[in-house]
PDB file of all heavy atoms in Angstrom:
ATOM      1  N   VAL A  72       2.208   7.956   2.094  1.00  0.00           N
ATOM      2  CA  VAL A  72       3.205   7.084   1.490  1.00  0.00           C
ATOM      3  C   VAL A  72       4.423   6.959   2.400  1.00  0.00           C
ATOM      4  O   VAL A  72       4.946   5.855   2.572  1.00  0.00           O
ATOM      5  CB  VAL A  72       3.585   7.675   0.096  1.00  0.00           C
ATOM      6  CG1 VAL A  72       4.819   6.953  -0.424  1.00  0.00           C
ATOM      7  CG2 VAL A  72       2.469   7.503  -0.885  1.00  0.00           C
ATOM      8  N   TYR A  73       4.801   8.054   3.020  1.00  0.00           N
ATOM      9  CA  TYR A  73       5.948   7.995   3.933  1.00  0.00           C
ATOM     10  C   TYR A  73       5.677   7.210   5.184  1.00  0.00           C
ATOM     11  O   TYR A  73       6.510   6.448   5.645  1.00  0.00           O
ATOM     12  CB  TYR A  73       6.360   9.476   4.284  1.00  0.00           C
ATOM     13  CG  TYR A  73       7.358   9.541   5.390  1.00  0.00           C
ATOM     14  CD1 TYR A  73       8.708   9.262   5.179  1.00  0.00           C
ATOM     15  CD2 TYR A  73       6.951   9.948   6.682  1.00  0.00           C
ATOM     16  CE1 TYR A  73       9.622   9.350   6.226  1.00  0.00           C
ATOM     17  CE2 TYR A  73       7.914  10.018   7.688  1.00  0.00           C
ATOM     18  CZ  TYR A  73       9.210   9.720   7.462  1.00  0.00           C
ATOM     19  OH  TYR A  73      10.104   9.806   8.489  1.00  0.00           O
ATOM     20  N   ASP A  74       4.442   7.393   5.701  1.00  0.00           N
ATOM     21  CA  ASP A  74       4.118   6.689   6.965  1.00  0.00           C
ATOM     22  C   ASP A  74       4.006   5.204   6.765  1.00  0.00           C
ATOM     23  O   ASP A  74       4.402   4.415   7.637  1.00  0.00           O
ATOM     24  CB  ASP A  74       2.769   7.273   7.475  1.00  0.00           C
ATOM     25  CG  ASP A  74       2.454   6.757   8.840  1.00  0.00           C
ATOM     26  OD1 ASP A  74       3.321   6.806   9.715  1.00  0.00           O
ATOM     27  OD2 ASP A  74       1.300   6.303   9.033  1.00  0.00           O
ATOM     28  N   GLN A  75       3.428   4.785   5.623  1.00  0.00           N
ATOM     29  CA  GLN A  75       3.286   3.356   5.363  1.00  0.00           C
ATOM     30  C   GLN A  75       4.529   2.720   4.753  1.00  0.00           C
ATOM     31  O   GLN A  75       4.530   1.530   4.522  1.00  0.00           O
ATOM     32  CB  GLN A  75       2.125   3.144   4.392  1.00  0.00           C
ATOM     33  CG  GLN A  75       0.774   3.549   4.931  1.00  0.00           C
ATOM     34  CD  GLN A  75       0.319   2.718   6.091  1.00  0.00           C
ATOM     35  OE1 GLN A  75       0.545   1.527   6.106  1.00  0.00           O
ATOM     36  NE2 GLN A  75      -0.275   3.344   7.120  1.00  0.00           N
ATOM     37  N   GLU A  76       5.557   3.542   4.500  1.00  0.00           N
ATOM     38  CA  GLU A  76       6.831   3.041   3.967  1.00  0.00           C
ATOM     39  C   GLU A  76       6.592   2.285   2.669  1.00  0.00           C
ATOM     40  O   GLU A  76       7.196   1.198   2.446  1.00  0.00           O
ATOM     41  CB  GLU A  76       7.576   2.179   4.975  1.00  0.00           C
ATOM     42  CG  GLU A  76       8.029   2.967   6.193  1.00  0.00           C
ATOM     43  CD  GLU A  76       8.806   2.086   7.183  1.00  0.00           C
ATOM     44  OE1 GLU A  76      10.004   1.991   7.051  1.00  0.00           O
ATOM     45  OE2 GLU A  76       8.151   1.541   8.071  1.00  0.00           O
ATOM     46  N   LEU A  77       5.777   2.829   1.809  1.00  0.00           N
ATOM     47  CA  LEU A  77       5.504   2.144   0.548  1.00  0.00           C
ATOM     48  C   LEU A  77       6.654   2.241  -0.462  1.00  0.00           C
ATOM     49  O   LEU A  77       6.798   1.421  -1.320  1.00  0.00           O
ATOM     50  CB  LEU A  77       4.245   2.770  -0.109  1.00  0.00           C
ATOM     51  CG  LEU A  77       2.956   2.582   0.695  1.00  0.00           C
ATOM     52  CD1 LEU A  77       1.799   3.293   0.014  1.00  0.00           C
ATOM     53  CD2 LEU A  77       2.628   1.124   0.853  1.00  0.00           C
ATOM     54  N   LEU A  78       7.477   3.271  -0.301  1.00  0.00           N
ATOM     55  CA  LEU A  78       8.614   3.426  -1.204  1.00  0.00           C
ATOM     56  C   LEU A  78       9.909   3.049  -0.486  1.00  0.00           C
ATOM     57  O   LEU A  78      10.994   3.581  -0.786  1.00  0.00           O
ATOM     58  CB  LEU A  78       8.682   4.882  -1.734  1.00  0.00           C
ATOM     59  CG  LEU A  78       7.536   5.306  -2.621  1.00  0.00           C
ATOM     60  CD1 LEU A  78       7.660   6.761  -3.048  1.00  0.00           C
ATOM     61  CD2 LEU A  78       7.451   4.411  -3.857  1.00  0.00           C
ATOM     62  N   GLY A  79       9.809   2.186   0.510  1.00  0.00           N
ATOM     63  CA  GLY A  79      10.982   1.827   1.277  1.00  0.00           C
ATOM     64  C   GLY A  79      11.514   0.484   0.835  1.00  0.00           C
ATOM     65  O   GLY A  79      11.472   0.112  -0.329  1.00  0.00           O
ATOM     66  N   PRO A  80      12.067  -0.332   1.793  1.00  0.00           N
ATOM     67  CA  PRO A  80      12.625  -1.637   1.456  1.00  0.00           C
ATOM     68  C   PRO A  80      11.542  -2.572   0.911  1.00  0.00           C
ATOM     69  O   PRO A  80      10.349  -2.391   1.158  1.00  0.00           O
ATOM     70  CB  PRO A  80      13.202  -2.131   2.780  1.00  0.00           C
ATOM     71  CG  PRO A  80      13.331  -0.929   3.636  1.00  0.00           C
ATOM     72  CD  PRO A  80      12.317   0.059   3.178  1.00  0.00           C
ATOM     73  N   SER A  81      12.019  -3.635   0.265  1.00  0.00           N
ATOM     74  CA  SER A  81      11.083  -4.503  -0.433  1.00  0.00           C
ATOM     75  C   SER A  81      10.245  -5.327   0.542  1.00  0.00           C
ATOM     76  O   SER A  81       9.091  -5.652   0.263  1.00  0.00           O
ATOM     77  CB  SER A  81      11.807  -5.450  -1.378  1.00  0.00           C
ATOM     78  OG  SER A  81      12.853  -6.108  -0.687  1.00  0.00           O
ATOM     79  N   ASP A  82      10.821  -5.643   1.721  1.00  0.00           N
ATOM     80  CA  ASP A  82      10.056  -6.456   2.646  1.00  0.00           C
ATOM     81  C   ASP A  82       8.894  -5.651   3.262  1.00  0.00           C
ATOM     82  O   ASP A  82       7.793  -6.225   3.510  1.00  0.00           O
ATOM     83  CB  ASP A  82      10.945  -7.030   3.767  1.00  0.00           C
ATOM     84  CG  ASP A  82      11.774  -5.979   4.425  1.00  0.00           C
ATOM     85  OD1 ASP A  82      11.770  -4.852   3.896  1.00  0.00           O
ATOM     86  OD2 ASP A  82      12.420  -6.250   5.400  1.00  0.00           O
ATOM     87  N   LYS A  83       9.096  -4.344   3.419  1.00  0.00           N
ATOM     88  CA  LYS A  83       8.003  -3.508   3.925  1.00  0.00           C
ATOM     89  C   LYS A  83       6.885  -3.413   2.902  1.00  0.00           C
ATOM     90  O   LYS A  83       5.696  -3.423   3.220  1.00  0.00           O
ATOM     91  CB  LYS A  83       8.528  -2.077   4.243  1.00  0.00           C
ATOM     92  CG  LYS A  83       9.591  -2.057   5.349  1.00  0.00           C
ATOM     93  CD  LYS A  83       8.921  -2.046   6.718  1.00  0.00           C
ATOM     94  CE  LYS A  83       9.904  -2.179   7.844  1.00  0.00           C
ATOM     95  NZ  LYS A  83      10.898  -1.110   7.922  1.00  0.00           N
ATOM     96  N   SER A  84       7.274  -3.271   1.612  1.00  0.00           N
ATOM     97  CA  SER A  84       6.267  -3.214   0.551  1.00  0.00           C
ATOM     98  C   SER A  84       5.495  -4.537   0.453  1.00  0.00           C
ATOM     99  O   SER A  84       4.281  -4.520   0.273  1.00  0.00           O
ATOM    100  CB  SER A  84       6.951  -2.939  -0.798  1.00  0.00           C
ATOM    101  OG  SER A  84       7.673  -1.764  -0.724  1.00  0.00           O
ATOM    102  N   GLN A  85       6.200  -5.632   0.599  1.00  0.00           N
ATOM    103  CA  GLN A  85       5.499  -6.936   0.535  1.00  0.00           C
ATOM    104  C   GLN A  85       4.531  -7.049   1.709  1.00  0.00           C
ATOM    105  O   GLN A  85       3.424  -7.523   1.543  1.00  0.00           O
ATOM    106  CB  GLN A  85       6.537  -8.033   0.613  1.00  0.00           C
ATOM    107  CG  GLN A  85       5.993  -9.406   0.236  1.00  0.00           C
ATOM    108  CD  GLN A  85       7.047 -10.479   0.344  1.00  0.00           C
ATOM    109  OE1 GLN A  85       8.072 -10.301   1.013  1.00  0.00           O
ATOM    110  NE2 GLN A  85       6.810 -11.582  -0.317  1.00  0.00           N
ATOM    111  N   ALA A  86       4.945  -6.592   2.886  1.00  0.00           N
ATOM    112  CA  ALA A  86       4.035  -6.669   4.041  1.00  0.00           C
ATOM    113  C   ALA A  86       2.823  -5.734   3.832  1.00  0.00           C
ATOM    114  O   ALA A  86       1.687  -6.091   4.168  1.00  0.00           O
ATOM    115  CB  ALA A  86       4.779  -6.237   5.307  1.00  0.00           C
ATOM    116  N   ALA A  87       3.042  -4.567   3.237  1.00  0.00           N
ATOM    117  CA  ALA A  87       1.952  -3.636   2.966  1.00  0.00           C
ATOM    118  C   ALA A  87       0.970  -4.245   1.945  1.00  0.00           C
ATOM    119  O   ALA A  87      -0.261  -4.112   2.086  1.00  0.00           O
ATOM    120  CB  ALA A  87       2.482  -2.289   2.430  1.00  0.00           C
ATOM    121  N   LEU A  88       1.495  -4.920   0.950  1.00  0.00           N
ATOM    122  CA  LEU A  88       0.600  -5.559  -0.067  1.00  0.00           C
ATOM    123  C   LEU A  88      -0.199  -6.688   0.574  1.00  0.00           C
ATOM    124  O   LEU A  88      -1.407  -6.870   0.319  1.00  0.00           O
ATOM    125  CB  LEU A  88       1.460  -6.129  -1.209  1.00  0.00           C
ATOM    126  CG  LEU A  88       0.706  -6.649  -2.432  1.00  0.00           C
ATOM    127  CD1 LEU A  88      -0.052  -5.504  -3.138  1.00  0.00           C
ATOM    128  CD2 LEU A  88       1.669  -7.317  -3.382  1.00  0.00           C
ATOM    129  N   GLN A  89       0.440  -7.454   1.441  1.00  0.00           N
ATOM    130  CA  GLN A  89      -0.241  -8.547   2.109  1.00  0.00           C
ATOM    131  C   GLN A  89      -1.361  -7.995   3.011  1.00  0.00           C
ATOM    132  O   GLN A  89      -2.482  -8.529   3.067  1.00  0.00           O
ATOM    133  CB  GLN A  89       0.760  -9.334   2.930  1.00  0.00           C
ATOM    134  CG  GLN A  89       0.313 -10.736   3.295  1.00  0.00           C
ATOM    135  CD  GLN A  89       1.383 -11.514   3.913  1.00  0.00           C
ATOM    136  OE1 GLN A  89       2.540 -11.049   4.090  1.00  0.00           O
ATOM    137  NE2 GLN A  89       1.112 -12.751   4.318  1.00  0.00           N
ATOM    138  N   LYS A  90      -1.029  -6.898   3.705  1.00  0.00           N
ATOM    139  CA  LYS A  90      -2.014  -6.287   4.603  1.00  0.00           C
ATOM    140  C   LYS A  90      -3.193  -5.763   3.790  1.00  0.00           C
ATOM    141  O   LYS A  90      -4.360  -5.904   4.202  1.00  0.00           O
ATOM    142  CB  LYS A  90      -1.319  -5.163   5.372  1.00  0.00           C
ATOM    143  CG  LYS A  90      -2.118  -4.583   6.498  1.00  0.00           C
ATOM    144  CD  LYS A  90      -1.306  -3.504   7.202  1.00  0.00           C
ATOM    145  CE  LYS A  90      -2.168  -2.708   8.130  1.00  0.00           C
ATOM    146  NZ  LYS A  90      -1.416  -1.592   8.735  1.00  0.00           N
ATOM    147  N   ALA A  91      -2.898  -5.168   2.644  1.00  0.00           N
ATOM    148  CA  ALA A  91      -3.953  -4.637   1.806  1.00  0.00           C
ATOM    149  C   ALA A  91      -4.869  -5.768   1.287  1.00  0.00           C
ATOM    150  O   ALA A  91      -6.069  -5.663   1.223  1.00  0.00           O
ATOM    151  CB  ALA A  91      -3.356  -3.890   0.619  1.00  0.00           C
ATOM    152  N   GLY A  92      -4.253  -6.901   0.961  1.00  0.00           N
ATOM    153  CA  GLY A  92      -5.004  -8.061   0.522  1.00  0.00           C
ATOM    154  C   GLY A  92      -5.900  -8.610   1.582  1.00  0.00           C
ATOM    155  O   GLY A  92      -6.984  -9.208   1.295  1.00  0.00           O
ATOM    156  N   GLU A  93      -5.535  -8.414   2.820  1.00  0.00           N
ATOM    157  CA  GLU A  93      -6.402  -8.911   3.938  1.00  0.00           C
ATOM    158  C   GLU A  93      -7.459  -7.905   4.309  1.00  0.00           C
ATOM    159  O   GLU A  93      -8.537  -8.309   4.763  1.00  0.00           O
ATOM    160  CB  GLU A  93      -5.488  -9.167   5.189  1.00  0.00           C
ATOM    161  CG  GLU A  93      -4.599 -10.366   5.033  1.00  0.00           C
ATOM    162  CD  GLU A  93      -3.559 -10.412   6.151  1.00  0.00           C
ATOM    163  OE1 GLU A  93      -3.630  -9.548   7.038  1.00  0.00           O
ATOM    164  OE2 GLU A  93      -2.702 -11.274   6.093  1.00  0.00           O
ATOM    165  N   VAL A  94      -7.180  -6.604   4.129  1.00  0.00           N
ATOM    166  CA  VAL A  94      -8.111  -5.568   4.607  1.00  0.00           C
ATOM    167  C   VAL A  94      -9.128  -5.185   3.551  1.00  0.00           C
ATOM    168  O   VAL A  94     -10.274  -4.935   3.880  1.00  0.00           O
ATOM    169  CB  VAL A  94      -7.278  -4.341   5.092  1.00  0.00           C
ATOM    170  CG1 VAL A  94      -8.145  -3.141   5.286  1.00  0.00           C
ATOM    171  CG2 VAL A  94      -6.544  -4.695   6.371  1.00  0.00           C
ATOM    172  N   VAL A  95      -8.730  -5.116   2.317  1.00  0.00           N
ATOM    173  CA  VAL A  95      -9.594  -4.549   1.270  1.00  0.00           C
ATOM    174  C   VAL A  95     -10.864  -5.367   0.981  1.00  0.00           C
ATOM    175  O   VAL A  95     -11.939  -4.826   0.948  1.00  0.00           O
ATOM    176  CB  VAL A  95      -8.769  -4.285  -0.012  1.00  0.00           C
ATOM    177  CG1 VAL A  95      -9.681  -4.023  -1.204  1.00  0.00           C
ATOM    178  CG2 VAL A  95      -7.807  -3.130   0.191  1.00  0.00           C
ATOM    179  N   PRO A  96     -10.792  -6.708   0.844  1.00  0.00           N
ATOM    180  CA  PRO A  96     -12.039  -7.436   0.527  1.00  0.00           C
ATOM    181  C   PRO A  96     -13.139  -7.322   1.634  1.00  0.00           C
ATOM    182  O   PRO A  96     -14.306  -7.034   1.264  1.00  0.00           O
ATOM    183  CB  PRO A  96     -11.582  -8.882   0.361  1.00  0.00           C
ATOM    184  CG  PRO A  96     -10.145  -8.774  -0.035  1.00  0.00           C
ATOM    185  CD  PRO A  96      -9.644  -7.597   0.700  1.00  0.00           C
ATOM    186  N   PRO A  97     -12.796  -7.419   2.920  1.00  0.00           N
ATOM    187  CA  PRO A  97     -13.861  -7.206   3.895  1.00  0.00           C
ATOM    188  C   PRO A  97     -14.407  -5.785   3.910  1.00  0.00           C
ATOM    189  O   PRO A  97     -15.584  -5.551   4.088  1.00  0.00           O
ATOM    190  CB  PRO A  97     -13.177  -7.513   5.258  1.00  0.00           C
ATOM    191  CG  PRO A  97     -12.026  -8.330   4.925  1.00  0.00           C
ATOM    192  CD  PRO A  97     -11.583  -7.876   3.587  1.00  0.00           C
ATOM    193  N   ALA A  98     -13.512  -4.817   3.640  1.00  0.00           N
ATOM    194  CA  ALA A  98     -13.966  -3.422   3.577  1.00  0.00           C
ATOM    195  C   ALA A  98     -14.901  -3.206   2.412  1.00  0.00           C
ATOM    196  O   ALA A  98     -15.957  -2.520   2.516  1.00  0.00           O
ATOM    197  CB  ALA A  98     -12.759  -2.466   3.477  1.00  0.00           C
ATOM    198  N   MET A  99     -14.595  -3.816   1.302  1.00  0.00           N
ATOM    199  CA  MET A  99     -15.473  -3.679   0.095  1.00  0.00           C
ATOM    200  C   MET A  99     -16.816  -4.350   0.386  1.00  0.00           C
ATOM    201  O   MET A  99     -17.866  -3.834  -0.002  1.00  0.00           O
ATOM    202  CB  MET A  99     -14.822  -4.353  -1.101  1.00  0.00           C
ATOM    203  CG  MET A  99     -13.587  -3.655  -1.611  1.00  0.00           C
ATOM    204  SD  MET A  99     -13.979  -2.077  -2.383  1.00  0.00           S
ATOM    205  CE  MET A  99     -14.878  -2.606  -3.824  1.00  0.00           C
ATOM    206  N   TYR A 100     -16.769  -5.476   1.036  1.00  0.00           N
ATOM    207  CA  TYR A 100     -18.019  -6.183   1.353  1.00  0.00           C
ATOM    208  C   TYR A 100     -18.878  -5.348   2.319  1.00  0.00           C
ATOM    209  O   TYR A 100     -20.100  -5.216   2.139  1.00  0.00           O
ATOM    210  CB  TYR A 100     -17.678  -7.528   2.019  1.00  0.00           C
ATOM    211  CG  TYR A 100     -18.917  -8.339   2.441  1.00  0.00           C
ATOM    212  CD1 TYR A 100     -19.706  -8.946   1.506  1.00  0.00           C
ATOM    213  CD2 TYR A 100     -19.234  -8.457   3.778  1.00  0.00           C
ATOM    214  CE1 TYR A 100     -20.814  -9.656   1.873  1.00  0.00           C
ATOM    215  CE2 TYR A 100     -20.354  -9.178   4.171  1.00  0.00           C
ATOM    216  CZ  TYR A 100     -21.141  -9.754   3.226  1.00  0.00           C
ATOM    217  OH  TYR A 100     -22.226 -10.481   3.619  1.00  0.00           O
TER     218      TYR A 100
END
Side-chain angles (χ1 to χ4, degrees):
Chain A
V72 168
Y73 169 75
D74 188 48
Q75 296 294 322
E76 292 182 89
L77 295 177
L78 295 178
S81 54
D82 51 351
K83 298 276 174 61
S84 302
Q85 193 180 21
L88 187 66
Q89 200 172 359
K90 190 179 170 185
E93 290 168 5
V94 166
V95 166
M99 291 290 292
Y100 177 73

